[in-house]
Amino acid sequence: MDLASQPHRRYNPLLDEWVLVSPHRAKRPWQGQQETSEVEVRPAYDPTCYLCPGNARTSGAVNDKYEHQFVFDNDFAALLPEEVKSEELRVESVVPAEGPILHPSLLTYNFLRAEAETGRCRVICFSPRHDLTLPEMPVSEIRRVVDVWTDEYRMLGADPAINYVQIFENKGFVMGCSNPHPHGQIWSERTVPDLPARETRAQRAYFEQYGRSLLADYLALEEKTKVRFVVENATWVALVPFWAVWPFETLVLPRRAVQDLTQLSEAERDGLADIISQLTIRYDNLFEISFPYSAGLHQRPTDGAEYPEWTLHLHFLPPLLRSATVKKFMVGYELLANAQRDITPEQAAERLRALPAVHYKVGA
Ligand code: H2U
Ligand code: ZN
């Protein structure tokens, strides 16, 4: 089988699912939507921005006049802590015994289930500069962001009511990001959400069978050919996973398998900042735009149990396909049957690898 030209399926061992790869389709003509990319010039400080230092937010709270990073509780949090929940929601399972919307047979089979969920949501401003993004920030400042993530993971995870901490960034309006000021979010909650729960199951099954980390073994395999490597340093590797769904999706893996940020050495934290810088610079250089993505960390749950099978990693999930304006749509077959892609992960890695290491705006 020729993976570069023949339609085939690839297995994602982290999520126990498949992706259909159709390399021969990459040449098909595109007559769909063409969006115009706007070259956006932003001021270093925007008096109307709710994330800039010293400005007031919608809630009326005023941001610190911060010089590096700034973290606050989300004023429109998707999850609320236990103490602010209404009496009604405190019931573990909200299944009314009888009522007009529930037929008794549904109750018998427990089809309609709901339960209260609690948590705490935070917003992190990566920089006081309104006009920067991670790829334009100095590595020393990204390193401070890594430290803030680590402190937040530790602080939130120490709360007995928090069993999972999801750190992420939505970058670009196309990803639903509400404000260009560089920022990320943290949602932390009582239950482990679906995707990290599936990753836990997969990593645990592998660990129980082989006594080793699934992702460490995967990295060792990739190291042999490096065909899917994008950038690497002494402590981290960014690669396009064999099972990538999004055209330029990447997985960032530590060379030493650790379960969460708090276990990283100083050198590994420096390395993480460096790999994020290297990778996001290449992303921006691909179409010479501020490259949109959703990205985030996956770490072990914080319920206090041991997770020897877990390996900390980052996913970068960018929507763009062939230009600054043509994105991949998850539609049709993807929504109804299976994830699918045209350009192969190896081709995507090759393109990203070939890009300059210096940001296109520098010296432009
Ligand atoms: P996104 O751009 O990824 O949506 O993140 C911005 C977050 O900032 C969003 O979750 C919050 C929104 O709820 N926010 C505040 O907490 N205070 C504000 O004054 C505006 C936005
Ligand atoms: Zn701002």
Side-chain angles (χ1 to χ4, degrees):
M1 185 177 65
D2 178 12
L3 295 186
S5 63
Q6 240 179 290
H8 61 275
R9 309 169 81 205
R10 295 190 187 193
Y11 181 65
N12 177 344
L14 253 192
L15 291 177
D16 183 25
E17 64 182 29
W18 293 82
V19 52
L20 177 65
V21 186
S22 316
H24 61 296
R25 270 172 105 234
K27 289 181 207 77
R28 91 201 137 108
W30 176 260
Q31 295 188 320
Q33 187 185 3
Q34 299 278 351
E35 294 152 77
T36 49
S37 65
E38 287 153 43
V39 184
E40 193 199 9
V41 183
R42 298 202 301 272
Y45 168 76
D46 177 351
T48 68
C49 168
Y50 59 74
L51 297 179
C52 274
N55 290 0
R57 300 202 301 275
T58 328
S59 59
V62 176
N63 297 330
D64 290 356
K65 290 202 166 118
Y66 62 99
E67 290 177 3
H68 297 284
Q69 286 73 37
F70 177 58
V71 192
F72 59 92
D73 279 317
N74 197 316
D75 301 310
F76 304 93
L79 292 154
L80 299 170
E82 182 77 28
E83 52 274 19
V84 297
K85 258 190 329 171
S86 72
E87 193 61 37
E88 202 181 340
L89 275 171
R90 204 160 293 156
V91 202
E92 271 293 295
S93 188
V94 199
V95 182
E98 50 188 342
I101 57 157
L102 290 179
H103 188 273
S105 68
L106 292 176
L107 289 178
T108 309
Y109 296 107
N110 210 6
F111 277 129
L112 303 185
R113 291 164 67 184
E115 54 184 37
E117 180 63 343
T118 53
R120 186 172 172 194
C121 299
R122 312 265 287 160
V123 178
I124 309 179
C125 301
F126 293 155
S127 164
R129 287 270 303 270
H130 186 78
D131 57 337
L132 296 184
T133 57
L134 287 174
E136 296 165 272
M137 281 165 53
V139 177
S140 58
E141 283 299 309
I142 304 178
R143 164 61 206 257
R144 283 174 171 273
V145 172
V146 169
D147 290 344
V148 173
W149 285 339
T150 309
D151 294 344
E152 288 289 318
Y153 175 84
R154 188 187 285 115
M155 182 273 291
L156 292 164
D159 182 340
I162 300 294
N163 295 317
Y164 183 76
V165 179
Q166 182 58 59
I167 298 173
F168 65 96
E169 177 190 8
N170 285 324
K171 180 164 173 266
F173 292 115
V174 66
M175 293 312 295
C177 174
S178 61
N179 183 329
H181 193 112
H183 69 282
Q185 296 194 46
I186 304 177
W187 293 19
S188 63
E189 61 189 295
R190 184 180 62 86
T191 56
V192 181
D194 278 347
L195 293 175
R198 281 164 68 188
E199 289 196 351
T200 302
R201 279 198 290 279
Q203 292 178 95
R204 180 164 301 161
Y206 189 90
F207 191 82
E208 278 168 2
Q209 190 170 356
Y210 303 104
R212 292 190 309 268
S213 150
L214 185 160
L215 286 173
D217 277 7
Y218 173 60
L219 180 57
L221 204 61
E222 289 288 7
E223 187 92 48
K224 287 184 182 160
T225 65
K226 298 194 178 185
V227 286
R228 281 170 291 271
F229 271 32
V230 176
V231 285
E232 61 179 309
N233 62 28
T235 45
W236 295 82
V237 174
L239 51 81
V240 180
F242 180 75
W243 53 83
V245 166
W246 295 95
F248 295 98
E249 173 177 342
T250 52
L251 179 65
V252 177
L253 293 169
R255 289 194 186 273
R256 184 174 68 95
V258 295
Q259 288 120 36
D260 67 57
L261 285 170
T262 66
Q263 298 164 342
L264 294 177
S265 67
E266 290 288 308
E268 286 166 334
R269 290 195 198 194
D270 286 345
L272 178 54
D274 171 72
I275 210 83
I276 290 172
S277 172
Q278 286 201 57
L279 176 63
T280 56
I281 285 172
R282 278 177 174 78
Y283 271 154
D284 273 13
N285 287 346
L286 182 61
F287 301 130
E288 301 209 336
I289 48 150
S290 182
F291 197 71
Y293 58 70
S294 274
L297 287 123
H298 276 154
Q299 311 180 68
R300 69 162 160 198
T302 57
D303 57 2
E306 292 291 318
Y307 286 94
E309 72 278 12
W310 251 93
T311 299
L312 154 73
H313 57 275
L314 289 82
H315 295 279
F316 280 80
L317 309 166
L320 294 184
L321 171 59
R322 70 184 79 223
S323 71
T325 54
V326 178
K327 56 177 175 275
K328 171 173 178 60
F329 290 96
M330 285 290 178
V331 293
Y333 183 82
E334 286 97 329
L335 283 183
L336 291 156
N338 210 145
Q340 188 272 344
R341 63 179 294 137
D342 294 345
I343 163 182
T344 64
E346 296 71 37
Q347 289 165 339
E350 196 181 340
R351 281 189 65 183
L352 290 170
R353 235 183 359 248
L355 293 165
V358 177
H359 196 272
Y360 72 91
K361 280 191 192 166
V362 176

